[in-house]
Amino acid sequence: MSTAILGKDLVGLEPLSGDQIRAILDTAEPFKEVSERQIKKVPALRGKTIVNLFYEASTRTRISFEFAEKRLSADTVNVQAAGSSISKGETLVDTARNLEAMRIDMVVIRHGASGAAQFLGARIQSNVINAGDGKHEHPTQGLLDLLTLRDHFTNLAGLKVCIVGDVLHSRVARSNIWGLTKLGAQVAVCGPATLLPRDIAELGVTVFRHVAEAIQWADALNVLRLQLERMTAGFIPSLREYNRVFGVTNERLARAPKDILIMHPGPMNRGVEIDSDVADGPHSVILPQVTNGVAVRMAVLYLLAGGSPDWAAGGGDTA
Ligand code: CP
């Protein structure tokens, strides 16, 4: 199996070079068109067996991986903690080794522990793709965000992107920071001090304490959900207070010097980190992000399986 563009696994964007990230985005471009066809299927991964192993809840990531796999003609199985022997205490490695005994080729894993994907990748032969591990990384979300930004701005070099909200608990923030900086964008974060990692500036990002400052600066805002399920202490006084101080509202955006592209990885807490009229407004690309998620995941699966980045140039369907 060729590993020309990527290694065996995709655990994050931190280990990738800018050229590797660009190659994934370029490979995703022709895959966008496959999802617009009446028959949304190409034979690129025919004969491959892929397990989607989800220890945490997911709507967008799990379903778009499954669509991506099916549109590439792979055979797919979904395993969730509830209803499998994971709920009886079987370990991650035992679960994966039993799946490998059934001759699988790839595992897509979402797990609550940071480092779970890397841990698994070092212990099994199948390709491992991180679909979100704890507070570490969510690389395919980072990639789909980059693809969406590239759709709108063409060149990301010098682009000003501010990540607003609960950066502390966010794997999406980390993947965005790594991906954006490797492609030459300027990155800022904005949120309450309690929801920003203390060492965040060391990643080369600007820190804004007031959302009004971020709005004056940014070309695009990536608004993050308050991850209430990961909060073990009182990080904010109340949801209403958070919206009053850090919520992205049309009233605040009206003071921006230019139109700002609005992104959100989902799921949204409407009326908390983002108001509905912004989420559903003319500058929102929240649903195009989801659409791009399928193409990006097709590209990652295809490249990890040893595919050439010029899939479309090779005839597409016959790759
Ligand atoms: N963006 C994202 O990871 O959404 P899900 O949790 O629904 O997969």
Side-chain angles (χ1 to χ4, degrees):
M1 182 179 287
S2 159
T3 53
I5 300 298
L6 299 176
K8 182 176 90 63
D9 307 321
L10 179 68
V11 298
L13 298 190
E14 181 182 5
L16 300 188
S17 67
D19 283 345
Q20 285 175 305
I21 292 171
R22 272 185 283 273
I24 298 170
L25 301 181
D26 291 346
T27 305
E29 288 294 345
F31 282 130
K32 287 178 180 174
E33 182 269 329
V34 175
S35 292
E36 304 306 322
R37 296 181 189 178
Q38 201 160 13
I39 297 174
K40 301 172 177 56
K41 219 177 227 336
V42 293
L45 291 192
R46 191 165 51 197
K48 298 284 184 193
T49 304
I50 305 176
V51 175
N52 300 313
L53 183 56
F54 276 63
Y55 285 75
E56 285 191 331
S58 170
T59 296
R60 279 147 291 272
T61 311
R62 190 185 63 72
I63 293 171
S64 69
F65 262 113
E66 191 176 349
F67 278 141
E69 291 153 6
K70 288 184 166 154
R71 288 174 192 179
L72 292 171
S73 303
D75 296 312
T76 71
V77 176
N78 295 318
V79 180
Q80 285 167 288
S84 74
S85 289
I86 296 166
S87 64
K88 300 177 196 164
E90 188 165 43
T91 67
L92 172 58
V93 171
D94 279 340
T95 301
R97 284 188 179 145
N98 277 271
L99 295 169
E100 275 205 314
M102 298 181 224
R103 303 292 178 255
I104 61 167
D105 298 291
M106 295 186 178
V107 177
V108 176
I109 179 169
R110 170 166 287 192
H111 200 284
S114 300
Q118 189 163 9
F119 174 86
L120 188 64
R123 284 160 181 81
I124 64 173
Q125 289 181 347
S126 307
N127 303 104
V128 173
I129 302 169
N130 183 4
D133 61 330
K135 295 189 274 183
H136 174 230
E137 281 222 41
H138 190 349
T140 56
Q141 179 70 45
L143 289 164
L144 75 87
D145 290 342
L146 293 172
L147 189 63
T148 307
L149 285 165
R150 212 172 70 160
D151 286 346
H152 283 263
F153 297 104
T154 310
N155 186 1
L156 302 194
L159 191 72
K160 294 177 178 170
V161 182
C162 185
I163 301 165
V164 183
D166 183 0
V167 177
L168 182 68
H169 297 101
S170 177
R171 50 200 178 204
V172 174
R174 277 163 195 74
S175 288
N176 264 264
I177 291 169
W178 288 119
L180 285 163
T181 53
K182 282 167 194 274
L183 295 191
Q186 296 181 57
V187 185
V189 295
C190 177
T194 50
L195 292 178
L196 297 179
R198 221 168 277 177
D199 56 355
I200 190 74
E202 288 171 21
L203 296 182
V205 304
T206 302
V207 178
F208 291 119
R209 294 287 179 208
H210 301 285
V211 74
E213 291 173 341
I215 284 170
Q216 286 301 308
W217 176 86
D219 298 307
L221 296 182
N222 199 347
V223 187
L224 300 179
R225 179 174 74 91
L226 282 186
Q227 299 203 25
L228 300 170
E229 76 278 18
R230 295 190 207 278
M231 292 187 189
T232 51
F235 287 88
I236 52 167
S238 69
L239 297 182
R240 187 192 293 196
E241 181 79 356
Y242 181 86
N243 179 258
R244 201 177 62 74
V245 179
F246 286 100
V248 176
T249 64
N250 262 344
E251 191 187 3
R252 289 201 162 105
L253 290 171
R255 299 197 198 106
K258 58 193 154 193
D259 290 339
I260 298 179
L261 197 75
I262 300 296
M263 307 171 75
H264 192 304
M268 288 184 278
N269 295 311
R270 288 174 180 261
V272 180
E273 71 268 5
I274 190 166
D275 280 5
S276 277
D277 49 8
V278 175
D280 303 329
H283 306 300
S284 168
V285 288
I286 293 170
L287 292 177
Q289 285 174 266
V290 178
T291 305
N292 277 340
V294 178
V296 151
R297 289 169 178 129
M298 289 172 82
V300 166
L301 293 161
Y302 172 74
L303 290 172
L304 283 174
S308 154
D310 54 0
W311 170 76
D317 280 3
T318 55

